[in-house]
Amino acid sequence: MPQRFWICIFILSFSSLTCAQKVSGRDDLFGRQLIETRLSQCVYHAGDNLEWAAPELDDRTWESISNRKVDPSQWRMWIRCHVHSEAIAEMAHPAVMVVLTGAYELFADGQRMGSTGDLRTARFTFDREQIFPIPTLNSGPDHTFAFRTANFYYGPLSLRVLTADSTFVVGEQGALAAARDHSLIAKFHVYLPQMIAGLISLILGIVLWVAFWADRCRRDLALLAISCTMLGLSRLAADYAPNNFLFSVGITLPGTIVLALHKLLTPYMFFMAWFYFSLQKKRIPLLLKVPALAYLFVDISGALSFFLPARISFAYIWFTSDILETLVRLLGGSLALAPLLAFLPWATVRKENRPIAWLSIPQSIAYLFVSLALAYPTTFHTSHRSLQAQWTWVTLVGSVISATMVVFLLRDQRKRNRERDVLAGEMRAAAEIQRLLVPQALDVAPGLSIDAVYLPAQEVGGDFYLCSVLPDGTQRVLLGDVSGKGAAAAMTAALLLGAAGRYEGDGPSLLMAHLNLTLRSRGISGFTTCICADVAPCGAAVLVNAGHLTPYKKGVEITVDSGMPLGVTLDGGYPETRVQLEPGDSLTFLSDGVVEAQAASGEMFGFDRTREISGQSARAIAERARSFGQADDITVLTVSRVRTKSEPKV
């Protein structure tokens, strides 16, 4: 384990003491002199020339780094700083501690001291506080330190980051190492709220993923899970706070990966906004959808650009950051309007969602303020360091608010699960009732054979059929289809089957009129198509149709006069149609689930295919329709007159 790790652990155990101490700009905590120079006091020049490291170079024409202007055609830059101090010559082991994020090479009075990162590709690691031993310097109090850097551009904030935080400190090597370790750990109380916020968000994301896995119909849970996971990973793996802390214990991460990951995880507010609309079962309005998609595009393309060649990557990031960054910040800020657009008008908000609606308001206001402050720092009089501190507390408070939202969502989810269990029990009971209504053994008259197949589209369906032998030996067949699906349709089917069983003495026309009266008198909404056939032992069949599909005989639809579907009106009768079945003939009855079977392409099974297979067995017809693409209940019933040995073939 690195020695620095144990130093960090020791200092963390006395965090109250370390948080109270500060390292001054001139002395470390052991009282030894340090010489600190901020890069904001230095000059710069875009381009790359090793002669610019020479101490005698006249750099009076160079621009102050405070007035830095980024040239997209130049992705290299030199920074020169002049230090006036005679104390360096008196140091036994002088060294320089550089605080600068990026790839660079350091020169002192023209002599190379060391480097970090790769200047050819601009790749770097987040090891910001680097210590370099100083070689023998020129005699005299004036010294020149030159930085050859990859002029990588992270956005408009990069200039403020450079001028506010970037510095180099000259001192004894041991004193610098102690000051670095103490400074990093002393900042832990600043990093801690942000890391706690990230940890809370990540835990919330995991909890929400588990809840979503238990109920994958809840898209709102998935969207909030994505948002919390992205926010948590952003705070724990792709931000400066955790990376500085990891460096303090000897762990460094590739800068390109961290920056790309930070860009990819930034649009968590997009999924949060989507969550609000999904919770209200609303679509995201165009007013919000366009800026949200633009926000996503800029962040994702920016993340991918970090892996391009350095020159192309720098030009692209300069364009998207310098030209579009303010717009992107405003686009991101517009996502804060999502709760207002999702929850208004207030009367449409469900009672269980109102706590979440109230909690979304302070969270959105805070996010809107930070977005505007990032876009217009001068207007808001906000420095990067103070804004970072404010954003840290905003994320912590936002995580607490998100945790409260999750509590309400899980409470609602638990209530829905109980209701769903009750409904599932009712559906199982309805399915059991319907299973009992489907005849296990068909009542068939002598001289006939009947084959019936019923394939419900759901657990409970609305198709029904009845086969019974009347007292005079006539075979009665009844087949119907209740409009709608589910338990209500199954109960209506049970009612009609019960009513039909009590009126076996009536003919098909009177039976159909009675069933129609039964539905109308009970006030049952919807309608039912139905067909009834009485087949005598001699093959004479009487058919009555109430809006149902006509049966097939020898591959041809029989012309059957039809009345109105049951339950539509009390007016009108049900005319009878007579058909003669010869030995070997069959009548094929089916529900519209066969004709309306639909393939994945949207093509219907149709009447032509139904007619072609109408002469096959009931099982073959039903399976053919189901394999094509079942969309509704499928019922097929065939009545055949059996040929006896004494009857010749026709």
Side-chain angles (χ1 to χ4, degrees):
M1 297 287 286
Q3 184 178 5
R4 245 187 308 171
F5 176 81
W6 297 109
I7 295 174
C8 295
I9 296 300
F10 173 77
I11 298 178
L12 279 175
S13 63
F14 298 96
S15 58
S16 60
L17 178 63
T18 60
C19 290
Q21 295 176 336
K22 294 183 180 179
V23 179
S24 70
R26 299 295 298 176
D27 300 287
D28 71 354
L29 85 146
F30 301 109
R32 285 173 286 195
Q33 189 179 35
L34 301 176
I35 305 168
E36 179 178 353
T37 302
R38 293 194 176 275
L39 294 185
S40 58
Q41 304 166 357
C42 304
V43 294
Y44 85 100
H45 196 288
D48 186 26
N49 190 339
L50 285 175
E51 295 180 358
W52 294 347
E56 63 274 8
L57 178 72
D58 185 3
D59 56 18
R60 287 177 295 180
T61 60
W62 288 26
E63 290 284 341
S64 170
I65 194 69
S66 300
N67 301 324
R68 175 189 174 207
K69 294 180 179 61
V70 179
D71 184 354
S73 64
Q74 297 289 343
W75 64 282
R76 294 277 182 85
M77 178 177 68
W78 279 75
I79 302 173
R80 287 172 59 88
C81 304
H82 300 282
V83 178
H84 179 82
S85 176
E86 297 177 349
I88 298 178
E90 301 174 0
M91 297 179 183
H93 302 286
V96 173
M97 180 174 69
V98 180
V99 182
L100 177 62
T101 301
Y104 62 87
E105 190 174 14
L106 178 60
F107 297 84
D109 288 344
Q111 302 181 60
R112 186 180 184 277
M113 296 177 59
S115 64
T116 182
D118 188 348
L119 281 172
R120 296 171 303 172
T121 62
R123 303 290 185 257
F124 64 95
T125 55
F126 272 97
D127 43 1
R128 300 180 67 208
E129 285 82 357
Q130 286 287 341
I131 296 177
F132 302 96
I134 298 178
T136 304
L137 298 178
N138 298 334
S139 59
D142 295 324
H143 305 286
T144 301
F145 292 88
F147 295 86
R148 181 192 184 198
T149 72
N151 188 17
F152 223 74
Y153 194 70
Y154 311 126
L157 288 179
S158 61
L159 180 58
R160 293 194 290 279
V161 171
L162 178 65
T163 57
D165 298 337
S166 301
T167 182
F168 67 95
V169 184
V170 181
E172 289 283 356
Q173 188 169 350
L176 289 176
R180 175 184 61 187
D181 293 335
H182 180 268
S183 175
L184 289 171
I185 301 304
K187 295 176 183 177
F188 184 73
H189 70 286
V190 178
Y191 304 154
L192 188 60
Q194 197 163 336
M195 298 175 68
I196 291 175
L199 185 61
I200 292 174
S201 297
L202 193 59
I203 293 174
L204 291 177
I206 295 173
V207 171
L208 288 167
W209 281 121
V210 172
F212 172 70
W213 185 258
D215 185 3
R216 275 164 278 186
C217 296
R218 293 289 304 274
R219 186 174 62 177
D220 53 332
L221 294 180
L223 292 171
L224 187 57
I226 294 173
S227 178
C228 290
T229 304
M230 291 177 69
L231 179 60
L233 292 176
S234 175
R235 297 292 172 259
L236 291 175
D239 220 327
Y240 287 102
N243 281 294
N244 282 333
F245 178 71
L246 290 174
F247 172 66
S248 69
V249 295
I251 302 173
T252 57
L253 298 176
T256 302
I257 301 297
V258 172
L259 289 173
L261 191 61
H262 180 73
K263 280 281 188 181
L264 287 175
L265 296 175
T266 298
Y268 65 90
M269 276 300 296
F270 169 78
F271 293 97
M272 177 67 79
W274 193 358
F275 155 74
Y276 292 132
F277 285 96
S278 179
L279 192 66
Q280 282 295 98
K281 294 180 173 54
K282 292 182 179 179
R283 291 186 177 182
I284 300 179
L286 189 63
L287 175 67
L288 204 62
K289 187 180 296 184
V290 172
L293 293 177
Y295 183 62
L296 279 175
F297 171 76
V298 171
D299 276 329
I300 294 174
S301 62
L304 297 177
S305 69
F306 285 116
F307 300 96
L308 298 174
R311 185 180 300 276
I312 301 175
S313 179
F314 171 70
Y316 180 82
I317 294 174
W318 171 83
F319 173 76
T320 56
S321 297
D322 201 46
I323 305 300
L324 298 178
E325 186 74 14
T326 298
L327 176 61
V328 168
R329 293 293 181 185
L330 292 175
L331 293 177
S334 68
L335 295 176
L337 301 175
L340 295 178
L341 298 176
F343 292 120
L344 291 179
W346 185 261
T348 63
V349 181
R350 292 190 306 160
K351 183 179 179 181
E352 56 268 26
N353 290 340
R354 289 185 178 179
I356 297 176
W358 281 113
L359 288 169
S360 67
I361 295 175
Q363 188 179 43
S364 299
I365 292 175
Y367 182 76
L368 181 61
F369 166 77
V370 174
S371 297
L372 293 176
L374 287 170
Y376 299 104
T378 305
T379 304
F380 281 81
H381 304 288
T382 306
S383 67
H384 171 70
R385 186 169 296 176
S386 63
L387 184 61
Q388 187 179 31
Q390 294 170 20
W391 180 241
T392 296
W393 288 106
V394 166
T395 55
L396 182 58
V397 173
S399 298
V400 174
I401 292 176
S402 297
T404 310
M405 287 183 180
V406 171
V407 170
F408 284 110
L409 284 172
L410 294 181
R411 186 186 67 176
D412 181 45
Q413 180 70 9
R414 185 178 179 183
K415 179 181 177 182
R416 292 191 183 191
N417 288 338
R418 288 198 298 265
E419 293 174 352
R420 190 178 292 110
D421 290 340
V422 172
L423 180 60
E426 294 176 353
M427 292 299 291
R428 286 193 296 269
E432 181 65 19
I433 293 173
Q434 188 172 51
R435 187 186 65 81
L436 296 174
L437 292 174
V438 175
Q440 300 299 312
L442 300 177
D443 188 13
V444 184
L448 299 176
S449 67
I450 298 178
D451 186 15
V453 175
Y454 171 58
L455 302 176
Q458 299 178 0
E459 191 173 5
V460 178
D463 284 6
F464 63 93
Y465 66 91
L466 172 69
C467 297
S468 62
V469 180
L470 302 181
D472 61 355
T474 299
Q475 176 72 56
R476 171 162 290 177
V477 175
L478 183 71
L479 187 144
D481 181 5
V482 180
S483 63
K485 296 180 177 63
M491 295 300 101
T492 302
L495 173 66
L496 292 173
L497 286 174
R502 293 192 298 271
Y503 284 82
E504 293 184 345
D506 295 334
S509 181
L510 293 177
L511 173 63
M512 206 67 75
H514 170 70
L515 296 179
N516 180 55
L517 180 61
T518 300
L519 290 183
R520 294 292 298 176
S521 62
R522 300 294 178 90
I524 297 175
S525 61
F527 62 91
T528 300
T529 64
C530 190
I531 189 168
C532 179
D534 282 1
V535 183
C538 64
V542 179
L543 282 69
V544 173
N545 190 11
H548 200 78
L549 297 178
T550 55
Y552 291 85
K553 176 186 175 185
K554 295 181 178 181
V556 178
E557 284 187 84
I558 300 175
T559 302
V560 179
D561 295 333
S562 179
M564 294 294 292
L566 305 179
V568 175
T569 178
L570 286 174
D571 300 332
Y574 294 94
E576 296 182 348
T577 301
R578 299 184 181 276
V579 177
Q580 179 64 41
L581 292 182
E582 302 297 334
D585 287 348
S586 297
L587 285 177
T588 301
F589 302 88
L590 45 84
S591 66
D592 56 6
V594 176
V595 179
E596 295 178 358
Q598 189 172 14
S601 62
E603 182 183 8
M604 304 288 286
F605 191 77
F607 287 95
D608 292 339
R609 291 189 179 92
T610 303
R611 184 174 55 255
E612 291 174 359
I613 64 172
S614 62
Q616 300 179 14
S617 66
R619 174 61 61 181
I621 296 172
E623 290 296 339
R624 178 74 179 277
R626 181 165 65 176
S627 62
F628 189 83
Q630 183 175 4
D632 197 357
D633 302 330
I634 295 175
T635 304
V636 183
L637 187 147
T638 60
V639 180
S640 303
R641 185 179 177 188
V642 179
R643 190 191 310 275
T644 62
K645 293 182 180 180
S646 60
E647 293 175 325
K649 294 184 179 180
V650 180

